[in-house]
Amino acid sequence: MTTIDVNAVKSYLLKLQDSICAALEQEEKKQKFREDTWDRPEGGGGRSRMLADGEVFEQAGVNFSHVHGKNLPPSASAHRPELAGRSFQALGVSLVIHPLNPYVPTSHCNVRFFSAEKPGADPVWWFGGGFDLTPYYGFEEDAAHWHRTAKAACDAFGPDNYARFKKWCDEYFFIKHRNEPRGIGGLFFDDFSEKSFDHAFGFMRSVGDHFVPAYLPIVQKRKGAPHGERERDFQLYRRGRYVEFNLVYDRGTLFGLQSGGRTESILMSLPPLVKWRYDWTPPPGSPEAELYEIFLKPRDWLATENK
Amino acid sequence: MTTIDVNAVKSYLLKLQDSICAALEQEEKKQKFREDTWDRPEGGGGRSRMLADGEVFEQAGVNFSHVHGKNLPPSASAHRPELAGRSFQALGVSLVIHPLNPYVPTSHCNVRFFSAEKPGADPVWWFGGGFDLTPYYGFEEDAAHWHRTAKAACDAFGPDNYARFKKWCDEYFFIKHRNEPRGIGGLFFDDFSEKSFDHAFGFMRSVGDHFVPAYLPIVQKRKGAPHGERERDFQLYRRGRYVEFNLVYDRGTLFGLQSGGRTESILMSLPPLVKWRYDWTPPPGSPEAELYEIFLKPRDWLATENK
């Protein structure tokens, strides 16, 4: 009999939401998070927090949700057909941050727990999550810091976790119709129930706890970088890719929309202002071209420091 | 043995693209269409035309494409599994127009022909298409004109065509996660091969030919309407719904992206500038609220004139 402790997961996730919001508010003098709690008619609900129109964060959404239902939605049972028809509960914290300054990357983090249940049987449970970074203007030292912190989140939980989940992240956050990664990656894991509930829960906590140390130093370093219309324009254009990925491919978004989640909370990942421009490519040799050539390629960002 | 005439369809579609672009350029003094022709590696190609940054049309994309391949893509065979494995060709004209003035509605029109073929068997073919209108600020007289023209396109081809395809349009252009129609509808038909190739082709032509008379008078009437930041802001916000529909639900978009179509041509339906705003609703009694209350409800726009 597997012992799972949903209350412990929930308690951790609520505290994680608090601590991430507090850390972001430390960097943001102009705006605070606004909180909305909501109920899901089919069961469960959430606590959404949104900060808008900040001087550092143009938009930052940090959501907690705990939803349950009588039948797994199709997006969750597609790759595990044996679970179709089970009841489920899903808990998670999910965040997307769209900074104002184009030199500060957009970031995303999610940690989640899923349990599929039926009377008389052990629950089938797993953890998932990760974090990934989407720069507009790339800096190798920032990419190295991001991945170094991602690796630190993994190292105590298995020697190959970083390599496995870094690769999975590169594969997952890939925009097929553009043949482009969404950004410089990070970590992505799913269906994680290795060793024991305690071990797997510990790993999820470690990923959640490493988000702020991975992201905040980059925000602090770049938020004052001078920029003008050109950089802003490129940021808005590249945000279009973020929208394309989230609405066409992202499993979490599709799961949320299909399972009757709160649309406004799910779609707070979409940027506040976006541009599309037909058939545009950056001028060769420009800093914008460098993003595509140097940063939007799967790469071992720790290659030099690990030799 | 069914006789189909693909060359006649192609010839009509190319002329339709020409005539629509010419009609739109008549209204637009500042910009002209730019043309790109492209080849699809797996077979076929297209002729894309884009007008950007106009004084009337902020963006207008009018595409012709003729693609063929050895295997039907999944989005095309999903509801006709007996055709899986057949080769196919698909021809169409597709357009989306995003006007600058918020009092001019966004419009979309598509006419298409599809044929699934295998050696030794009759081709399985059908026509599809339609047009639909997405106002930001609604006018009952414009909605009536739009639907009156849609009905005129249908009347010679079957007494219930307008009613059937108006209903299908309301059902198709529906944003489930918002519980909102995309706009005030129009016509949508698919799998249309009634009576004969000539009859079905004639109906598709009639729909294609009625787009300009349905849309242009509305453009002419509203393009000079005074407006300010408030109306512009609402237009950009509502454009977010257009993006959500096209990337999450639209079959044509998914077919295009899955079948290796030209991404820049497919995604020229996305507006040049878009806003998302968390959990926003228009003030009660405002013109913006009226859009939701009066226009974003399936309705018989010809009810008064047909009694």
Side-chain angles (χ1 to χ4, degrees):
Chain A
M1 179 75 194
T2 308
T3 306
I4 63 174
D5 186 346
V6 176
N7 286 334
V9 175
K10 183 166 188 170
S11 161
Y12 167 76
L13 291 172
L14 287 166
K15 275 185 217 145
L16 179 68
Q17 186 192 31
D18 285 341
S19 65
I20 291 174
C21 290
L24 294 172
E25 281 186 345
Q26 281 286 325
E27 293 305 311
E28 170 60 54
K29 301 301 167 212
K30 192 173 151 202
Q31 301 286 352
K32 298 280 173 201
F33 278 94
R34 153 189 163 186
E35 178 174 299
D36 291 305
T37 57
W38 49 275
D39 293 316
R40 180 172 165 276
E42 297 76 22
R47 189 172 83 177
S48 296
R49 294 216 185 122
M50 177 61 122
L51 186 158
D53 301 318
E55 60 178 27
V56 173
F57 303 115
E58 192 173 347
Q59 181 177 292
V62 183
N63 293 338
F64 163 82
S65 66
H66 180 190
V67 305
H68 48 88
K70 283 184 189 152
N71 284 295
L72 274 180
S75 55
S77 64
H79 64 304
R80 292 204 175 189
E82 74 279 11
L83 299 182
R86 283 198 177 210
S87 67
F88 74 98
Q89 52 181 323
L91 294 84
V93 164
S94 191
L95 68 92
V96 174
I97 298 168
H98 292 291
L100 188 59
N101 189 314
Y103 286 99
V104 182
T106 284
S107 71
H108 161 251
C109 173
N110 167 244
V111 283
R112 59 188 180 272
F113 175 70
F114 203 95
S115 174
E117 293 147 16
K118 70 174 176 187
D122 274 2
V124 176
W125 56 268
W126 64 88
F127 290 93
F131 47 70
D132 71 290
L133 196 72
T134 308
Y136 303 93
Y137 293 90
F139 295 94
E140 305 212 7
E141 66 193 88
D142 293 355
H145 166 78
W146 179 260
H147 277 275
R148 201 182 302 122
T149 316
K151 186 168 181 298
C154 296
D155 279 349
F157 295 86
D160 65 344
N161 279 14
Y162 170 70
R164 276 197 291 158
F165 300 141
K166 190 265 186 201
K167 181 164 179 282
W168 200 348
C169 190
D170 287 339
E171 289 161 1
Y172 181 82
F173 291 105
F174 189 80
I175 307 170
K176 289 187 205 75
H177 62 267
R178 299 286 189 180
N179 196 30
E180 261 173 34
R182 179 163 94 168
I184 62 154
L187 299 172
F188 181 92
F189 66 103
D190 202 358
D191 303 312
F192 190 86
S193 54
E194 285 171 18
K195 295 183 185 165
S196 65
F197 176 83
D198 286 347
H199 177 84
F201 182 27
F203 178 57
M204 187 204 77
R205 287 201 309 271
S206 182
V207 171
D209 294 343
H210 279 78
F211 170 73
V212 166
Y215 187 49
L216 223 56
I218 299 173
V219 175
Q220 289 160 343
K221 200 170 195 170
R222 306 295 169 196
K223 70 179 183 181
H227 63 279
E229 256 186 61
R230 170 186 176 144
E231 290 81 10
R232 174 66 170 168
D233 194 59
F234 185 59
Q235 178 197 46
L236 300 186
Y237 172 79
R238 290 293 312 169
R239 282 179 176 175
R241 300 293 209 272
Y242 217 82
V243 174
E244 291 174 27
F245 180 83
N246 282 15
L247 295 183
V248 177
Y249 302 109
D250 187 55
R251 262 189 246 164
T253 301
L254 299 176
F255 170 79
L257 296 177
Q258 280 181 11
S259 63
R262 181 174 179 256
T263 295
E264 286 293 337
S265 297
I266 297 161
L267 297 185
M268 65 159 60
S269 66
L270 302 181
L273 190 63
V274 186
K275 282 186 178 178
W276 273 275
R277 191 177 307 124
Y278 174 67
D279 204 24
W280 183 81
T281 45
S286 66
E288 291 78 17
E290 195 183 72
L291 177 76
Y292 294 75
E293 286 153 19
I294 313 256
F295 292 91
L296 298 182
K297 305 246 156 105
R299 177 170 152 189
D300 178 2
W301 289 101
L302 305 178
T304 51
E305 46 202 89
N306 286 337
K307 300 297 168 206
Chain B
M1 177 77 191
T2 308
T3 306
I4 64 173
D5 187 346
V6 176
N7 286 333
V9 176
K10 183 166 186 167
S11 164
Y12 167 77
L13 291 173
L14 287 166
K15 276 184 218 144
L16 179 68
Q17 185 191 31
D18 285 343
S19 65
I20 291 173
C21 290
L24 295 172
E25 281 186 347
Q26 282 285 326
E27 293 307 311
E28 169 60 54
K29 302 303 167 212
K30 191 172 152 203
Q31 300 286 350
K32 298 279 172 201
F33 278 95
R34 153 190 164 187
E35 178 173 300
D36 291 305
T37 57
W38 49 274
D39 294 316
R40 179 170 165 274
E42 299 76 22
R47 189 172 83 177
S48 296
R49 294 217 185 120
M50 178 60 122
L51 186 159
D53 301 317
E55 60 180 26
V56 175
F57 303 116
E58 191 173 348
Q59 181 177 291
V62 183
N63 293 337
F64 163 82
S65 67
H66 180 191
V67 305
H68 49 89
K70 285 187 188 147
N71 285 294
L72 274 181
S75 54
S77 64
H79 64 305
R80 291 204 175 189
E82 72 280 12
L83 300 181
R86 285 202 177 207
S87 67
F88 75 98
Q89 51 181 325
L91 294 83
V93 164
S94 190
L95 68 89
V96 174
I97 299 169
H98 292 290
L100 188 58
N101 189 314
Y103 286 98
V104 183
T106 284
S107 72
H108 161 253
C109 173
N110 168 245
V111 283
R112 58 188 182 271
F113 174 70
F114 203 94
S115 174
E117 292 147 17
K118 71 174 175 186
D122 274 2
V124 176
W125 57 267
W126 63 88
F127 291 93
F131 47 71
D132 71 289
L133 196 72
T134 308
Y136 303 93
Y137 292 90
F139 295 92
E140 303 212 7
E141 66 193 88
D142 294 356
H145 165 78
W146 178 261
H147 277 275
R148 202 182 301 123
T149 316
K151 185 167 182 299
C154 296
D155 279 350
F157 295 87
D160 64 344
N161 279 13
Y162 170 71
R164 276 198 290 158
F165 301 143
K166 190 266 184 199
K167 180 164 180 278
W168 200 346
C169 191
D170 286 339
E171 289 162 1
Y172 182 81
F173 291 106
F174 189 80
I175 307 170
K176 288 186 205 72
H177 62 268
R178 299 286 189 179
N179 196 30
E180 260 174 35
R182 179 164 92 169
I184 62 153
L187 299 172
F188 182 92
F189 66 104
D190 202 0
D191 303 314
F192 189 85
S193 53
E194 285 171 19
K195 296 187 184 164
S196 66
F197 175 83
D198 286 347
H199 178 85
F201 181 27
F203 178 57
M204 186 203 77
R205 288 201 307 272
S206 182
V207 171
D209 294 343
H210 280 78
F211 170 72
V212 166
Y215 187 50
L216 223 57
I218 299 174
V219 174
Q220 288 161 343
K221 200 170 195 168
R222 307 294 169 197
K223 70 180 184 181
H227 61 278
E229 255 186 63
R230 170 186 175 143
E231 291 81 9
R232 174 67 170 167
D233 194 58
F234 185 58
Q235 177 196 45
L236 300 186
Y237 172 79
R238 290 293 312 169
R239 282 178 176 175
R241 300 292 209 272
Y242 216 82
V243 174
E244 291 175 25
F245 180 83
N246 283 15
L247 295 182
V248 177
Y249 302 109
D250 186 57
R251 264 189 245 162
T253 302
L254 299 176
F255 169 79
L257 296 177
Q258 279 182 11
S259 63
R262 182 174 179 256
T263 295
E264 286 293 338
S265 296
I266 298 161
L267 297 185
M268 64 159 63
S269 66
L270 303 181
L273 190 63
V274 186
K275 282 185 178 176
W276 273 274
R277 190 176 309 123
Y278 173 68
D279 203 23
W280 183 81
T281 46
S286 65
E288 292 77 16
E290 195 182 73
L291 176 77
Y292 294 76
E293 286 154 18
I294 313 257
F295 293 90
L296 297 183
K297 305 247 156 101
R299 174 171 155 189
D300 178 1
W301 289 101
L302 304 179
T304 51
E305 47 201 89
N306 286 336
K307 298 298 167 209

